[in-house]
Every structure is written in structure tokens, then in C-alpha cells.
Amino acid sequence: MSTIGTGYDLSASQFSPDGRVFQIDYASKAVEKSGTVIGIRGKDCVVLAVEEIVVDKLYEVDAARRIFTIEKNIGMAIAGLMADGNFVADIARQEAANFRQQFERTIPLKHLCDRVAGYIHAYTLYSAVRPFGLSVIFASWDETDGPQLYKIEPSGTSFGYYACASGKAKQQAKTEMEKYKFADMSTDELVQSGGKIIYQVNDEVNNKDFRFEMGIVGRETNGVHFINHASWSQLAIEAGKAAKTADGDNEI
Amino acid sequence: MNCLGVEQFPDYKVPGVQHVDFSPYESNGGSIVAIAGEDFVVIAADTRLSSGYSIHSRDQSKLFKMSPKTVLGSTGCWCDTLSLTGLVKVRMQMYEHTHMKTMSTDAVAQMLSIVMYNRRFFPYYVSNILAGLDKDGKGAVYSYDPIGHCERATYRAGGTAGALLQPVLDNQIGYKNQNLPADQLPPLTKERAVAVASDTFISAAERDIYTGDSVLINIITKDGVEERKLQLRKD
Amino acid sequence: MMNNSFAQPMWSNGPSPGQFYNFMGGNAPTQLPRELTTAGPFGTKHSTAAITTGSSVVGIKFDGGVLVAADTLVSYGSLARYQDIQRVFKINNNILLGGSGDFADIQSIKRNIDQKMIEDQCYNDGVIMKPGELASWLTRVLYNRRSRMNPLYIDVVVGGVDETGKPFLGNVDMRGRAYNDYVVATGFGRHLALPLVRERKPKDRDFTFEEATNLIRESMKVLYYRDTRSIPQYTVGICTAADCSIKGPFKVEENWTFAETVKGY
């Protein structure tokens, strides 16, 4: 961000003279503070993985989950404000339910993503509202479209990805992800990679205490989106912990 | 009037389709008898659920335990019975939460009347008999018509064989037309009440096709509700 | 996206410039869906009769679960119109639903139920609907529709197991009349299959799986012989604690040799 708002940051409905909408930039800041979240797309599987930073040990273990199920085969992960995330998850579910009601099939992920992106974008246009402090990642798998992965930014822009990341260690995660060939990966390999990346990019100094969360959907889950599936999550966590100790050894 | 009726589109007439006038009501049969004593009340209902000539179930209880001291017997249109008892149970729970006590039998009786009259112009098609112990611990029987008229009695028969059973009770419990001096009439004990109720059902099963299979008898005393079951003819 | 005429308007009750925004949960005026409104002063004529219909459904409870069977015919009046339509559905790992009556109404209620199952999954709390709950919900929907004189012309069998593996079998009709029993049937099955099954019921115990399957086979055969709106092909839903699935289609073992000996009609 080049300058502080100087009066142009009070409303989402006004540009600054150098062509920015500061409210969107600020919303992105909210995303950057959040624990890392990644989505990766394999041969016939998509994995969402979240580094859930434990801010307070008094929370219950399943508090503030950042992965949601939107439809049978659609998962959503968020980085940013938890409350905004719950709201957008609900909007996405309504979109999916509405589509199903009209066409009697699951909503294509591209279509869902367009709808939700449009919704998020609309919140950047009016003075009465603020943009969502969210980066939303959608993942799905089905027989016709195969694995699909999309991400929406606070501005409402959305793209399809082979692999994407948001949150604190976005850059690190992206650098790390470029080393992999996800597109050829089997489900197990993909799950392990997901675990590895999250554990590797975790900031051991400041956020050592974190919880690993994973959403998975693919051929091997019979096209059903699972959150923290027992065996696959264990596989990911083991791979992640192994990678972490190996990393530590190298550095010494 | 029938602007959207299929009969307006002769080209689309379906051969063999029966066009029926929908009736929201259906008689699913069943009878209830309740007899109140000094410190007890007996309520009995058969377990046959039928419509027309077919029997849906031979083991459907028509007695609803509303509280430890109150049992409601309900027959007629079974879907109305389900809805009505469900609604009354909800309202009894609301009463319990607001007043921190269980509704008395008298209060349930009054409420049931109001709940039923609320549907004055689209009535619950049911024959209800409410049995329980009143505030003084005495046996109480309340009977209703479908639109909520409520009357306290000492004995009552209702349901499809109600008209068949009531004269028997009049004679055996009310001692109507018995030319015996009052001191020679047998006292109404619990066992006598159960015996008379059982007998009326055995007789009703002979003549009413909607009453049969078995009869459930609830005996309510201050110690709780005792349940008994008696087999009836199943044809 | 804007060219898509099927798409819903993006902003229903959303913020618009220069106006106050009604946030969700506010008192935005809601209108009851049309099918739930009562008759108007000029007379509202609702459903006249079932058009495309499914015939009998038979359900039998056994010691570890339930079986629900129905043939695969959906008739158009007396015409055997659709001959390969499943009428027994798996709702989730605990519930089977067998539908008879107006097939459009069955499909409509099925859509509603399917959406509820997706909601169940979205909650991600491990809690899923049990057959007793679905049956109870159906009574409320159907009773409300009949009370508005706009019924769904259906008669359904709900079967399944609860969380402890205890079998459940019930029937809900178009008025919301509901009951549970070890055997339930709709349509002609009520006249033909019910007595057949009741006759074989041991007093002191439930049916075994073996006995139940044999009775289903027998019932479907009798129904095919005697119900004119039936075909010799059926599917069977099996729900136990271990498994919930639809088997088939099976064929009825036909034998018409006796036909030659039938005289006097």
C-alpha cells in the first residue's frame, strides 16, 4: 500500500486519486493476518489444507473451523475473518441449493464460484457496506469435470488454479508448491504434499501451536467432501511432521 | 372456476384415472371406555387401526400418557389424533416451563377443549376421552365432541363403538334401570371397573368391525399408571 | 453471467445505493409459497387426482433391519407408461423410502428430503437423520398440505435403522396418518401382501432376514398376479446397521400354466 488512506479509505464506494479502493486493500490485510490455507489439485482429487493457529487454548478443539462443506462434493476453505467466512459459506450453500432445485444436479464449481465472486464483488461497490475480509478457496471433484479448484479474493476476482494459497505464509507456500507436480499426483501423494506444505510454512517462532485441518474430495472419496477424514488426515499429519523434522535437521 | 383442472384439457384426459373429490377426513376406527372411581380411573382403548375394510395395524395404542396422572384416549381420524395430541403435549410442556409444575388433569381438560374449538370451522375429527386424577385425587373422566364441547362424567364410552358401549356402562356402572335398593348395589372397585371395561370391549369386538385385535387398559392411581393388555378377536 | 436468463437476480434484499439496507434477520416481508396458501374468496381449485402413479410398496421388518420393495412401474392411468423407474430410494445410510401414489409428488418430496440430507452433511457434526425423524417430518408436511386442501397424493413407506441399529418401519399417507408396524404396505399390497405376511408372523420373535426376503419375493409375486397395475420387475431396499442399499431389479418368477385350468369366467 503506497500511502495511508488520506480520506479516501472511509468508503468502499470511492476511489483514491491513484486508482485504488482502500477498503479492499484493508480487507486483504485481514486475509494476510490469517493462518495459511492452501488448495492443491491432483489427478483425480483436490485437497484443502489449513494451518489453524491456536490463539487460545481454552477454545474447544473444533472451534473456528475454516473448512466448510457446501454441497455433497464441494468444499470451501477460508483465510481471513471467521464471521465473514460463516456468512459466505451460507450464501454459497444457498446458491448450491438453489441451483439443485432448478436443475436437479450439483452446481458446477465454476458457476458457483462466479456467483459467489459476484456476491463478494458487490460488497466492494457500496458505501453502506464493507468488503469481506476473506480469501475463499473452493474445491470439488466430479466424474465429468474432474478435480476443480478456484479462489476468490476480497475484491471479488476469481481464478481457477492448479494450486493456490492464502494467508500468512502465502508467498512461502507458493514457492514451495511450485516445486511439486500436483497434476499427476495420486490421492495419497496429494494428501501427503498438503501436510508437508502446511507444516513447512508454519512459523515455528510465533505460531508454533497450530492445528492441521484438511478437506478432501476426489474419486477415492466417492465424490463426497470430507472434513478431517480420519485416515487421510493422519497420513497428511504424519507426512507433515516428518518433513518438518527433516527440515530442522538440514538447517542445523 | 376450474380454470386449471385437468377436465379443461380434454386432449390430455388420462384413461382410467379416477377423479376423486379429496376428503381431508378418514375414519380410522377404534373405541375408548373410561370409568372413574373414588381414587382411581380406568381408561381402555382397542389397538386396531383401520380404514374401510382394511386393517393398517393391529397394535396401535390410542392411549396417550400426557402426565403421570393424566391419560388421553383419542380415536377418529388418526392424522388428526396425531396432530392434536402432539399439539397438546407441546402446550403442556410450555405450561410446565412457565409455571414450574405439571398441568393438573382439570387444566388439561380445559385446554383440550380450547385447542379443539380453535379449529371450530375445520374440526379435528376425533372422539376424545380424557382420564386422570383431579386435584383432590379423585378419578375424573372428561369427554369431548369434535369441536371441543367438554363435559365431566364418571364413566364414558367413545369412538366407533361408543353408542354400543355407553348403555352397557349406564347399566353396569351407573346402575340405571336396576331395581335394586342402593345398599345392595355392588361398590365400584378397581377390579370391577377393569372387568366391566374388558367385557364391553369383548362385546364391542363382536359387533363393530372397527374395534378388535386387543385392548390396552390403563389404571391410573396415585401410585402411577398400571398398564394391562387383553386380546380381542382379530377378524 | 448476466446473459443467463435462468440465473436468479444477484440482489434480492441486497444493499442498493441511496437506500437503507435491510440486513438478514430483519423483518423483510415474507410471502408463503403458493402451495401453502389457503383457498381464496373466489375459490382455489387444487389438485384433482393423481396422474402418473406407482402401485404397491411393501415393507417388512426383520431382526436386524428392514426390507422395502416396490415394482418398477409408474402408470399413466391404466397405461403401463414408465416401466423401469425405481420407487424405492436410499435417503442416507439409515433410511429407505418407498413411494406410491402420484409419482410427481413423490419426486417433489424426494427433492426436499435430498436437500435436507445435504444440509445434514454441511453441518458436519456427525449427526444424521434417522427414519423415525423423517417419518415424523413427513406427517407434518402431509398433514399441513391436506389441511390446506391441497394434498400431495402419496402413500409412503419409511424404513431404516436408528443409531443403535434398531429397525424402524412406518407408513405415512397423504393425510399425514402414520403408524409403525412390523409389516406395512400401500396400495394393493395392503389387501394382498399384509395378510400374507401377518399369517407367517411368529408370535414370540421377529422375522429373520431369510424369512423376510422370502415373504417379499412371495408378496411381489402375488401382487404381480393380482394387481393389474403392476409388472413382474421390482427392486428391494435393504437397510441394516451394516448396510443400506437398493438391490435389484429382480424378476417375479412367473408361472402361467395354471391359466389353462381356470374355467368359468
Side-chain angles (χ1 to χ4, degrees), chain B residues 23-24 56-57 78 80 83, chain C residues 140 143 146-147 175 178 181 198:
Chain B
S23 162
H56 299 307
S57 176
W78 186 243
D80 278 336
S83 303
Chain C
R140 283 3 284 157
Y143 184 80
R146 82 106 216 191
S147 294
R175 299 187 175 86
D181 212 338
R198 280 181 184 155

Side-chain angles (χ1 to χ4, degrees), chain A residues 1 21-33 79-81 84 124 130-135 153-155:
Chain A
M1 225 168 306
V21 177
F22 281 110
Q23 282 292 318
I24 296 174
D25 293 342
Y26 298 161
S28 307
K29 278 279 181 202
V31 174
E32 282 166 32
K33 287 208 300 186
L81 300 183
D84 286 13
T124 66
R130 65 162 174 79
F132 290 106
L134 278 184
S135 176
E153 302 292 356
S155 58

Side-chain angles (χ1 to χ4, degrees), chain A residues 35-38 51 165-166 168-177 194-204 207 210 244 247:
Chain A
T36 316
V37 53
I38 62 165
E51 172 206 29
S166 280
K168 268 201 169 73
K170 176 182 172 178
Q171 280 311 324
Q172 269 174 280
K174 276 168 77 174
T175 320
E176 202 61 43
M177 287 191 299
K196 273 187 207 166
I197 295 164
I198 288 293
Y199 273 82
Q200 276 171 340
V201 302
N202 170 246
D203 178 356
E204 258 184 284
N207 304 310
F210 81 98
K244 192 86 185 174
D247 263 16

Side-chain angles (χ1 to χ4, degrees), chain C residues 215-228:
Chain C
L215 281 166
I216 288 283
R217 201 174 299 125
E218 190 70 20
S219 300
M220 296 317 286
K221 184 162 82 183
V222 172
L223 281 170
Y224 169 59
Y225 279 138
R226 282 296 175 182
D227 181 359
T228 55

Side-chain angles (χ1 to χ4, degrees), chain A residues 103-125:
Chain A
F103 303 109
E104 278 209 58
R105 50 171 294 214
T106 40
I107 187 169
L109 195 64
K110 184 171 166 38
H111 189 67
L112 175 70
C113 191
D114 277 356
R115 296 287 295 176
V116 177
Y119 193 88
I120 287 175
H121 171 245
Y123 272 73
T124 66
L125 299 174

Side-chain angles (χ1 to χ4, degrees), chain B residues 68-96:
Chain B
K69 280 187 186 145
T70 316
V71 171
L72 171 63
S74 180
T75 71
C77 181
W78 186 243
C79 65
D80 278 336
T81 292
L82 288 174
S83 303
L84 180 66
T85 53
L87 181 58
V88 171
K89 277 180 184 169
V90 166
R91 295 192 55 155
M92 284 180 72
Q93 193 151 65
M94 283 160 63
Y95 180 101
E96 188 140 349

Side-chain angles (χ1 to χ4, degrees), chain C residues 72-90:
Chain C
T72 57
L73 175 69
V74 170
S75 308
Y76 182 74
S78 53
L79 175 70
R81 182 66 182 84
Y82 308 100
Q83 309 203 359
D84 197 15
I85 305 259
Q86 298 234 357
R87 294 195 289 118
V88 183
F89 308 105
K90 175 187 176 176

Side-chain angles (χ1 to χ4, degrees), chain B residues 18-78:
Chain B
Q18 307 142 18
H19 286 249
V20 283
D21 284 335
F22 173 71
S23 162
Y25 295 123
E26 175 182 57
S27 173
N28 298 114
S31 305
I32 318 169
V33 161
I35 302 167
E38 194 49 33
D39 58 349
F40 68 88
V41 60
V42 171
I43 180 164
D46 71 313
T47 61
R48 176 174 292 183
L49 187 76
S50 47
S51 44
Y53 290 132
S54 59
I55 298 166
H56 299 307
S57 176
R58 298 184 187 278
D59 194 24
Q60 176 61 60
S61 170
K62 299 181 185 80
L63 298 178
F64 299 86
K65 199 175 163 190
M66 311 310 285
S67 81
K69 280 187 186 145
T70 316
V71 171
L72 171 63
S74 180
T75 71
C77 181
W78 186 243

